[in-house]
Amino acid sequence: MKITMIGTGYVGLVSGVCFSDFGHDVVCVDRDPSKIEMLNSGNVPIYEPGLDDLMAKNVEAGRLSFTTDLSAGVKGADAVFIAVGTPTRRGDGHADLSFVYAAAEDIAKACAAEGNPYTVIVTKSTVPLGTNRQVKQVVRKAAPDLVFDVASNPEFLREGAAIDDFMKPDRVVVGVQTDRAAEVMAEVYRPLYLRDFPIITTDLESAEMIKYAANAFLATKITFINEIAALCEKTGADVKQVSRGMGMDGRIGNKFLHAGPGYGGSCFPKDTSALARIGQEHAVPMQITETVMRVNDGIKMRMIEKLRDLCEGTFNGKTIAVLGVTFKPNTDDMRDAPSLTIVPALVGGGAKVRVVDPQGFREGEALLPGVQWADDPYKAVHNADAVVILTEWNEFRALDLKKIAKKMKSPRMADLRNIYSAKDAKKSGFAAYVSIGRQDFEA
């Protein structure tokens, strides 16, 4: 099949590369010439483990190409995927759909101009309920004679594990209106069907809702365990033991039950906000989701107070080393990362902040003004008053804590990912150690 992917951001590029690895002929289209030039030179504009090698393999095989020419890209396409951004709209929390509708209009005109006999226009972007029906109207208005169908195919990719998620999904969700569109989408995902991965075919609205409901539920799990962690700190319980005991219950499961400084990233913040807005518009308030959003913001503020206590009541004049600023490991994504709330509070409080992150510099340099960047945690902690673990990169999971403590002016650690333990820290010479949902110590 010939597949066209509109947008070479995170979702579009990963999806396009993986579709080409299925054996499809894939053209990725983007209006940014610098990005296309970068891709055509073999460089990947995002960090995702394994993506560069997989892209090179399929480009060499002739199944994958990149262009700014939309007309050439959609010519003869069986399916055209829309994978453009849907950021939170300022002022009302709703998803900004202007990029989706603009793409739909351009696709319609290009497919008509190229004489495509039939095309399925597929929305891969995360969009509110009713968007795909609106996309159909946009396409029909732009190209009245075009023979097409629309489909909804939300993505469920975890940054840092996206290729595996695409190739071995828990499920594939496809929303359609016609049998003909369903047949095209079945052929698109035929390699997964042959390996018995579940493919769920629904109506358009159900597919749109599945994406929002799934992300809101996962955000709820994270926020719930973070609230339990706060209670554990007051009662003497250990949140790691609590979450392990909870997770063994098959009705609950052990995923997304890790206490930390709050959720961030490209999906949970904007999708919970959009779902809350959708509920308001339909007079069905999403009260749990709205509470999750509010509590998550409070968790980040609680982390700041935890760090202030560690620094004896003030950040002013302190040197603080921060290990990890991306919202999770194995990505360079800084969108809504807890660090964007916590680090500015340190700087604004008068601290000298040194940051170490294997991939965070590219975005973080502009987003975190006033910090110093280091390439080694042992250099970053030199004469520091405190060290803070914000992102659980593998590079930070096996630190020589004795070496860290000796290099610091005041060996104090805030382990906001619960990588180590109070016992480890005390044994290594730390004067104070705080974590999430467990008992701390101060010498």
Side-chain angles (χ1 to χ4, degrees), residues 122-163:
V122 190
T123 305
K124 197 79 174 155
S125 306
T126 301
V127 296
L129 279 74
T131 301
N132 282 280
R133 290 185 183 276
Q134 185 62 36
V135 165
K136 186 175 183 178
Q137 293 180 24
V138 169
V139 173
R140 178 64 67 221
K141 182 179 180 180
D145 297 326
L146 185 68
V147 181
F148 74 100
D149 276 309
V150 297
S152 176
N153 179 217
E155 55 85 19
F156 300 95
L157 305 178
R158 295 169 300 158
E159 294 189 36
I163 293 173

Side-chain angles (χ1 to χ4, degrees), residues 85-382:
T86 55
T88 299
R89 196 164 62 196
R90 287 187 177 183
D92 62 6
H94 211 302
D96 183 350
L97 301 176
S98 58
F99 300 112
V100 172
Y101 294 146
E105 182 177 351
D106 291 343
I107 290 166
K109 293 176 180 178
C111 286
E114 293 297 333
N116 284 14
Y118 172 74
T119 304
V120 179
I121 299 173
V122 190
T123 305
K124 197 79 174 155
S125 306
T126 301
V127 296
L129 279 74
T131 301
N132 282 280
R133 290 185 183 276
Q134 185 62 36
V135 165
K136 186 175 183 178
Q137 293 180 24
V138 169
V139 173
R140 178 64 67 221
K141 182 179 180 180
D145 297 326
L146 185 68
V147 181
F148 74 100
D149 276 309
V150 297
S152 176
N153 179 217
E155 55 85 19
F156 300 95
L157 305 178
R158 295 169 300 158
E159 294 189 36
I163 293 173
D164 207 42
D165 284 348
F166 198 101
M167 300 297 192
K168 302 174 183 178
D170 292 329
R171 80 293 199 197
V172 174
V173 176
V174 175
V176 293
Q177 291 180 304
T178 69
D179 290 340
R180 188 177 185 184
E183 290 171 3
V184 169
M185 294 303 292
E187 189 63 27
V188 168
Y189 283 105
R190 180 175 174 79
L192 296 182
Y193 175 80
L194 292 174
R195 289 184 285 154
D196 292 325
F197 289 104
I199 299 176
I200 303 171
T201 303
T202 73
D203 56 86
L204 294 176
E205 285 78 12
S206 294
E208 292 165 341
M209 180 63 89
I210 287 169
K211 170 67 175 182
Y212 280 112
N215 276 355
F217 189 79
L218 294 176
T220 300
K221 286 188 74 173
I222 294 171
T223 305
F224 179 82
I225 200 62
N226 279 334
E227 279 207 314
I228 292 296
L231 187 57
C232 285
E233 291 175 10
K234 298 294 186 181
T235 60
D238 185 325
V239 73
K240 292 194 78 169
Q241 295 181 28
V242 172
S243 63
R244 184 167 181 262
M246 288 173 59
M248 288 180 175
D249 188 324
R251 298 167 299 175
I252 298 173
N254 61 2
K255 294 182 178 180
F256 291 85
L257 282 180
H258 302 288
Y263 65 74
S266 60
C267 292
F268 291 172
K270 76 178 182 66
D271 290 353
T272 51
S273 177
L275 181 60
R277 184 59 179 164
I278 293 167
Q280 292 166 8
E281 289 182 345
H282 290 82
V284 184
M286 296 289 100
Q287 297 181 59
I288 293 176
T289 300
E290 290 173 357
T291 301
V292 164
M293 294 162 58
R294 185 175 67 253
V295 172
N296 188 62
D297 288 340
I299 288 167
K300 296 175 185 178
M301 301 311 296
R302 191 170 78 86
M303 296 301 105
I304 295 171
E305 293 310 308
K306 187 182 283 283
L307 296 180
R308 198 186 311 276
D309 290 343
L310 181 69
C311 292
E312 301 176 310
T314 181
F315 300 134
N316 191 36
K318 303 292 174 62
T319 297
I320 301 174
V322 175
L323 307 186
V325 290
T326 55
F327 88 93
K328 64 180 289 188
N330 296 322
T331 181
D332 58 356
D333 199 338
M334 294 282 294
R335 284 175 286 185
D336 280 295
S339 64
L340 297 182
T341 299
I342 295 170
V343 172
L346 302 179
V347 175
K352 177 182 179 181
V353 179
R354 301 180 188 140
V355 171
V356 182
D357 191 290
Q359 294 293 330
F361 179 76
R362 180 160 53 184
E363 292 188 20
E365 184 183 21
L367 294 172
L368 296 173
V371 308
Q372 295 180 359
W373 290 83
D375 57 7
D376 179 83
Y378 299 102
K379 293 179 181 177
V381 301
H382 181 69

